[in-house]
Amino acid sequence: ARGRTLTHRYGFMMDKFSLPTAIADLLAARNALRSYYGDILRKQGSQVDLRFTLDGNLVGDIGEALAAELFGVRLVETESTEGIDGHAPDGRTVQVKATGTKAGPAFRQTKTRADHLLFFCLDFENGTGEVAYNGPEENVTRYLPETFSKQRCVSRPRIRVANEGVADTERLPRID
C-alpha cells in the first residue's frame, strides 16, 4: 500500500496515506505560483499574501479519484445521480467528501442519500491524507437538520464520534 499507516488518534484508528506523485506535482506548481506572485507583490511593496489554496471542485475531484484508487469505487456521472458519487465493489452506493481545510464535510439537501460515505481530510502542505470517516452515510447525516437550504457542514468532532461508532464490517475495505 502506498504510504499507508494506521495511527491511534482521538481514541480510534485513523487510516492515513501519502498523496500520489501527481498531486505532489500539482502542489509544486501551486507553490511556484505562490513564489512568483509573492516576489512581484513584495517588489510593489504589498503585504498581501496570496495562498493559492486548493478548494472547491478540484478537492472534490481529488476525493473521488482517491475513493476509486483506494477503495475501488466505480464513479458515476454526478449530474445523473445527485447525492451518489459511485458504487462500491459490493454494490453499495457511495458519497465521497473531501476537504483540504479543518472543516467537516458539506452536504446539500438532496432527495437521494447514499448507503455509504467516505470523507477524506487532505493535508496538501505535507502531501498526506486520512480517511476521517468510512461508514454508513446516515450516521453522519443524522447531524443535519431535517430541512435546510444551500449547504450544511457536519463538524469534525461529530465526524470523529460517527467514525468511532462504525463497526469494521460496515467499512469499505481498502484495495491498495
Side-chain angles (χ1 to χ4, degrees):
R2 172 179 36 87
R4 181 180 186 189
T5 59
L6 293 174
T7 58
H8 192 70
R9 196 166 107 198
Y10 306 118
F12 62 96
M13 298 303 285
M14 301 296 289
D15 190 359
K16 292 192 168 220
F17 54 91
S18 298
L19 295 175
T21 303
I23 294 175
D25 295 343
L26 175 68
L27 296 173
R30 186 269 321 259
N31 292 342
L33 274 173
R34 281 181 178 170
S35 178
Y36 177 81
Y37 285 107
D39 289 346
I40 289 172
L41 293 172
R42 277 189 294 285
K43 286 177 187 172
Q44 294 175 345
S46 176
Q47 298 299 317
V48 173
D49 186 22
L50 298 174
R51 303 300 307 151
F52 294 97
T53 59
L54 302 175
D55 54 14
N57 289 334
L58 179 60
V59 172
D61 287 349
I62 289 170
E64 290 180 19
L66 289 169
E69 178 184 13
L70 301 177
F71 293 95
V73 173
R74 189 174 79 323
L75 300 176
V76 297
E77 287 295 323
T78 307
E79 294 79 28
S80 64
T81 53
E82 185 183 46
I84 295 171
D85 293 316
H87 297 273
D90 66 6
R92 283 183 275 184
T93 57
V94 179
Q95 173 74 274
V96 179
K97 300 288 183 182
T99 186
T101 70
K102 302 289 182 199
F107 292 87
R108 296 186 191 284
Q109 187 78 38
T110 60
K111 293 179 183 176
T112 307
R113 292 280 180 208
D115 299 320
H116 202 82
L117 173 66
L118 290 171
F119 174 51
F120 297 100
C121 294
L122 307 175
D123 180 346
F124 291 116
E125 298 305 318
N126 293 304
T128 61
E130 67 180 299
V131 182
Y133 184 82
N134 175 359
E137 186 178 44
E138 65 189 11
N139 292 3
V140 172
T141 57
R142 72 175 181 213
Y143 292 113
L144 296 170
E146 196 168 312
T147 59
F148 59 93
S149 61
K150 298 185 182 179
Q151 323 188 101
R152 288 289 174 100
C153 284
V154 175
S155 71
R156 294 283 279 275
R158 285 187 169 165
I159 291 297
R160 284 192 293 275
V161 168
N163 195 56
E164 289 172 6
V166 177
D168 287 342
T169 56
E170 295 177 297
R171 297 183 190 281
L172 290 181
R174 295 239 332 224
I175 62 168
D176 60 333

